[in-house]
Amino acid sequence: FDKRRTDLNLTEEEWVKQELFLLETGNWFREDFKEAVNAIKEKRKMNNRYSNPFEIPVSYLDNYHTGFGFLEPQGFLFYTPAIMSSVLKDTEVLSSPSFLSWFYRLRWSNTFEAISKLLNCFTKAQIEVLKDFLLFISNLSLEMKERVGECLNNISLLGF
């Protein structure tokens, strides 16, 4: 975890134990689990095993889908092409946990402050690609059309 939960009033040692407990009870891939444990013990950020978002498999995205709710803007920018390329390869991904978590993060960023923070690292050109992708998926699924409209309205708050 990037930040300690100060509301738990734990000592540093107790916090490390709590982090390790959360890892052990989670659904981590073995390689990621080892890296996370080492990062906690060495008091550093975890290394991402993927440097290219286009190489990230859907199984990885699905396994860690709850993380989309906590990503910093740089992380959201990094994982967005992974989600987009996964959907373009197989539209069944639209019903996957990873897509839905990513999509709801975008959908619930419905104030200027929230959407500008979430898309802070995106360039104007990247935002245009994101909008085109959302329009593409709205044409694939009528049930998604209204929710995609909400995302596009959120993005429009940025003035694009």
Side-chain angles (χ1 to χ4, degrees), residues 8-86:
L8 294 178
N9 296 317
L10 300 176
T11 66
E12 188 168 332
E13 185 179 315
E14 290 169 329
W15 177 246
V16 168
K17 286 180 184 176
Q18 178 69 19
E19 284 184 308
L20 292 172
F21 171 76
L22 292 171
L23 287 174
E24 290 167 2
T25 58
N27 188 30
W28 288 71
F29 289 128
R30 178 170 288 141
E31 316 85 90
D32 298 320
F33 178 81
K34 288 178 184 175
E35 169 58 19
V37 169
N38 289 336
I40 290 168
K41 289 179 178 177
E42 296 167 13
K43 298 180 182 177
R44 62 173 172 79
K45 287 189 176 224
M46 241 182 100
N47 293 320
N48 188 342
R49 74 171 143 139
Y50 295 101
S51 58
N52 181 345
F54 297 104
E55 295 174 353
I56 302 173
V58 174
S59 60
Y60 181 89
L61 295 170
D62 283 346
N63 198 59
Y64 301 117
H65 73 94
T66 57
F68 282 105
F70 303 98
L71 287 175
E72 295 291 328
Q74 285 180 309
F76 196 79
L77 173 62
F78 179 79
Y79 286 103
T80 291
I83 291 291
M84 293 168 70
S85 67
S86 295

Side-chain angles (χ1 to χ4, degrees), residues 125-141:
Q126 289 168 326
I127 289 174
E128 291 302 319
V129 170
L130 176 60
K131 288 168 44 178
D132 288 343
F133 173 74
L134 291 168
L135 288 170
F136 170 76
I137 63 173
S138 74
N139 291 325
L140 290 176
S141 167

Side-chain angles (χ1 to χ4, degrees), residues 58-134:
V58 174
S59 60
Y60 181 89
L61 295 170
D62 283 346
N63 198 59
Y64 301 117
H65 73 94
T66 57
F68 282 105
F70 303 98
L71 287 175
E72 295 291 328
Q74 285 180 309
F76 196 79
L77 173 62
F78 179 79
Y79 286 103
T80 291
I83 291 291
M84 293 168 70
S85 67
S86 295
V87 169
L88 294 173
K89 290 175 191 168
D90 179 4
T91 57
E92 293 296 315
V93 173
L94 287 172
S95 60
S96 71
S98 56
F99 173 80
L100 293 173
S101 294
W102 173 86
F103 184 75
Y104 286 124
R105 178 78 186 273
L106 192 57
R107 186 175 170 213
W108 295 115
S109 296
N110 57 3
T111 64
F112 174 78
E113 293 77 18
I115 196 69
S116 59
K117 180 180 179 187
L118 182 64
L119 302 182
N120 182 49
C121 295
F122 284 65
T123 64
K124 287 183 182 181
Q126 289 168 326
I127 289 174
E128 291 302 319
V129 170
L130 176 60
K131 288 168 44 178
D132 288 343
F133 173 74
L134 291 168

Side-chain angles (χ1 to χ4, degrees), residues 144-155:
M144 293 286 291
K145 201 169 194 84
E146 184 178 325
R147 291 179 276 174
V148 166
E150 292 174 28
C151 292
L152 291 169
N153 286 340
N154 295 346
I155 293 169

